Amino acid sequence: MLEQKLNEFFGDEAPTGFGTGWWSGVLSAFFGLLAFGAVLTLHFPGVLSSPELRPYYPMYFMRLLIQAVIVAAIVLGVASAMLRRKKVLALTGLLFSLAATLLGGSSVPINGTLGAGPAIGLDWFLLDMLLMTLIFSPIEVLWPAYPKQSVFRNEWVTDIVYFLSTHLPIQLTSFLILLPATQLTAVLNIASVTAAISHLPWLVQFFLAVVVADVAEYWIHRAFHEVPFLWGFHAIHHSSKALDWIAGSRSHLVDDVVVRAFILVPMMLVFPHNINVAYLFFVTLHATWTHCNFGPTIKWLEPFIIQPRYHHWHHTSQKEAIDKNYAIHFPWIDKLFGTHYLPEDKWPDTYGLNKEDIPAGFWAQFVYPFTRKKAV
Ligand SMILES: [Zn+2]
Ligand SMILES: [Zn+2]
């Protein structure tokens, strides 16, 4: 419903290639909204920024970034207004960037001391959204695996809501994700193992961490496929009928929290803090990339590291590949446990669930696992 309204309000029948004012309009609206959100965060940092992330912000650079986003929204908005008949996208970008500027722009001072919360992670949402879009959207537009698939394909709004739903309550989700690992590390003291590992070269530690994380992920992921009650939650992630970077965020809160929490248990027991932080960066980028609508594959690397084509086969609704490819980093983990499937050079024809119909929309999908028994 909302998606249809948004598509009608912003879209039109005109061509959407480069030079038509479409991309400049989309980007202007996007940057305008980000800038507006960022300036609101500067005004109300106590409520709209994550206490855990605040100490790490280089504020001089963040202010420059906000300024750059405002300027980009204005320049692209003007370009789109000149190039395209329908001006709604351009006007949206211009209005939000104007509002951001009138509210003080990037120079809004941060007054007083900030408490430890509770707070909404709007800062984290805006930053991660900008970063992921800048990294993954260009490669999807330039080198798609499915050229006919639009950036605004069906259910794009639902997936943005999923992205919001994991970023805004970051205080709560990070607490839940860390809970099992922090409890266990307090009980089980195996500091000697961590100390021994921290003497290894950094790259060796990092590689070992990725292996440990992926073996843990493999079995939790497999459990989510094979235990019927757990499958109800994970079916949501598999309900996407088209994959791109944002489709990767479609995941039931329970699925997301449980999987991350149980990967962190062996990680925090064994590896030093800096390795775990590096792994969190790596997994965010790698897991998001494997969902991308990105065609190029480095063939000789396929047996060693997972690329988008591999994880796309995990998401197909074609019978031959159901319950295959559980690993997220190393395909040889699936080979080892007998769940590897990767036909030469082919991409799947269809995506989604092969037996089950999942309701549309975030809240219907949120309750789906709990009411599923009656429905099936
Ligand atoms: Zn799965
Ligand atoms: Zn996936």
Side-chain angles (χ1 to χ4, degrees), residues 13 54 190 293 312 343:
E13 297 301 315
R54 279 177 213 147
I190 47 172
N293 174 20
H312 275 58

Side-chain angles (χ1 to χ4, degrees), residues 239-285:
S239 68
S240 301
K241 297 223 165 52
L243 289 193
D244 50 22
W245 77 262
I246 191 92
S249 357
R250 186 183 300 191
S251 184
H252 194 283
L253 197 70
V254 171
D255 182 359
D256 195 59
V257 167
V258 170
V259 171
R260 283 172 204 245
F262 281 91
I263 291 174
L264 277 183
V265 167
M267 302 287 286
M268 283 178 60
L269 276 175
V270 176
F271 296 99
H273 181 67
N274 74 80
I275 294 291
N276 291 334
V277 172
Y279 176 73
L280 288 179
F281 275 105
F282 174 71
V283 69
T284 307
L285 287 174

Side-chain angles (χ1 to χ4, degrees), residues 2-156:
L2 173 67
E3 183 170 300
Q4 201 187 344
K5 288 221 166 91
L6 285 174
N7 287 343
E8 281 166 14
F9 185 69
F10 290 104
D12 54 39
E13 297 301 315
T16 55
F18 292 108
T20 62
W22 167 251
W23 286 111
S24 47
V26 168
L27 285 172
S28 172
F30 176 65
F31 287 142
L33 280 164
L34 288 187
F36 185 70
V39 173
L40 281 186
T41 310
L42 287 180
H43 273 285
F44 307 105
V47 195
L48 298 178
S49 74
S50 329
E52 291 81 2
L53 298 175
R54 279 177 213 147
Y56 300 103
Y57 287 139
M59 274 321 284
Y60 175 74
F61 176 74
M62 299 313 277
R63 290 185 189 279
L64 271 181
L65 185 65
I66 295 171
Q67 191 63 52
V69 171
I70 293 178
V71 172
I74 294 170
V75 173
L76 291 162
V78 171
S80 173
M82 281 165 30
L83 288 166
R84 204 166 184 86
R85 239 175 107 103
K86 188 164 178 176
K87 318 278 188 210
V88 180
L89 281 168
L91 273 176
T92 306
L94 289 169
L95 277 175
F96 275 103
S97 49
L98 183 69
T101 311
L102 289 176
L103 283 171
S106 60
S107 52
V108 174
I110 292 172
N111 296 319
T113 43
L114 303 170
I120 297 165
L122 183 64
D123 55 338
W124 173 228
F125 168 75
L126 296 170
L127 252 182
D128 204 25
M129 190 76 191
L130 176 68
L131 209 67
M132 294 296 147
T133 307
L134 290 183
I135 296 173
F136 295 117
S137 292
I139 64 167
E140 290 190 325
V141 172
L142 292 171
W143 303 288
Y146 300 90
K148 286 188 186 139
Q149 184 180 313
S150 156
V151 169
F152 298 96
R153 41 85 186 154
N154 273 346
E155 303 188 337
W156 67 273

Side-chain angles (χ1 to χ4, degrees), residues 221 225 231 234 237-238 314 326:
H221 188 181
H225 276 252
W231 169 253
H234 191 55
H237 182 63
H238 281 269
H314 179 65
Y326 293 120

